[in-house]
Amino acid sequence: MTNQWIAPWNVSAAFAPALTTLEWALLLGVAAFVGQGVQRLTGLPKVLGYAAVGALAGLAGLAGATWPLRGVGLFLLELGIAVVLFEAGARLPLRWFRHNPMVLVQSAAESLLTFMAAYVALHALGLDVKVVRALSVIAVASSPAVLMRVVADLRANGPVTDRAIALTTLNTLYALTLGTAMLRTIDRGEGTMLASLAFSLTVLGVSALVGVVLAAVLTAAMRGLQATSEDCAIVILAGVAACVSAATPLGGSAPLAALLAGLALKQVHPRPWVWPRQLGTAATVLSIMMFVLVSAMAVRGQWSWGITGTVLALIAVRAGAKVSSLLATGFGTGMALRQTLWVSATLVPMSAVALLLTSQFVKASHSVGTQVAAIALPVILVTELLGAMMVSVALVRAGEAPAPWRGRKTDTANASDTEARP
């Protein structure tokens, strides 16, 4: 008789998927509401609201994704990054580099100097060489997700915005290529940089192959579809999702393949893309989910006074390397020194790409990955929040976006004048 009463409660595990779905539905709704409120009341980017909700959810034990990321959580993160990088790649014409090759030099110098500066600083702090290499690669990557989200919210447009997107896309390409290759050597005897560079060619080749196939399929499909239709949006999302599912098992990188697919598609269709409205809505949902997930995972890092010094040192060295490298190589790029300074500020954020690489390092080698995550997760959280504000200020100061806080003051004054009228 007792067993008959207890038995129904044993099926509670069957409700776990429903509870997880309910958690995420509520988190997305709250994040969207808070993000809009942050922008309306303070003029700050919506990303800060999304990240704050994710951080609180992580501290409360909600957003039940496991660490390191796997399964649905990993797929959603990769899909969100892939959609962002696909759009970023589709905005980057390779013909532009033919007319202004110094941008490629500037990009390579920025990534190389960032890697070297992080490597020297972390090695001087006494960290293991394997941990130093992994953290240095992660430090190279900026956040296309934060940049593209702030650009969309502010409706920024101009040379600083275009240069920032180009440099962020390129350093993400470098970091994903080398970081994915390091997964095969991080916990082995041959785990040297030369071995990682050799594997990088394989990762880049496989990802390029998957990307070219995706671009070819989308090019063929779009010949029979209207570019702004909802059917086109479904085809693009389905293609990117298929790319995410296929690239990693084949030995490539799913986000990297999506980026290269966008690049290839841009060469076939050089005119500016008019994205379907439905694709923008789907991408916004994915980006909110991505920011919530990143903050929820990042806040779970092992915060301590001993790690705080290393975290702050890496943030300062990384930001200094990016700013100084761009200023040193700004000659001949067709951009004034002041504009270059604002571009360098947009490279400070770290977010989803850094979290993905960190999770992959933990999964590839628990001993090395745990040490990497202990430093990388706090760095990601701090630079995501601080970097979003820096991107917003940089684009406004460059004159390529209206100041949202000034608009807020104007609206408040107009509202007061209206209320004062009889």
Side-chain angles (χ1 to χ4, degrees), residues 6-7 62 65-67 114 128 162 170 233 238 283 298 303 335-336 367 408 420:
I6 295 177
L62 301 177
T66 58
W67 180 259
T114 301
D128 183 72
D162 293 340
L170 289 173
W303 297 78
M335 185 163 283
S367 59
R408 181 178 63 85

Side-chain angles (χ1 to χ4, degrees), residues 42-66:
T42 67
L44 296 173
K46 294 180 183 179
V47 174
L48 295 177
Y50 306 154
V53 171
L56 293 175
L59 291 173
L62 301 177
T66 58

Side-chain angles (χ1 to χ4, degrees), residues 1-15:
M1 182 68 177
T2 304
N3 292 336
Q4 292 178 353
W5 282 99
I6 295 177
W9 298 102
N10 293 333
V11 301
S12 60
F15 292 93

Side-chain angles (χ1 to χ4, degrees), residues 100-124:
N100 195 354
M102 281 301 297
V103 175
L104 285 176
V105 175
Q106 188 178 45
S107 170
E110 175 262 315
S111 298
L112 182 60
L113 185 58
T114 301
F115 179 89
M116 294 175 60
Y119 189 98
V120 171
L122 294 172
H123 191 269

Side-chain angles (χ1 to χ4, degrees), residues 8 21 28-29 37 46 56 76 92 106 135 137 162 169 172 213 230 240 247 270 272 275 286 314 317 359 375 413:
T21 303
L28 288 177
K46 294 180 183 179
L56 293 175
L76 290 176
L92 192 61
Q106 188 178 45
L135 286 171
V137 170
D162 293 340
T169 303
T172 301
V213 171
E230 62 182 7
V240 173
W275 296 99
L286 284 172
L314 180 57
V317 168
S359 176
I375 298 171

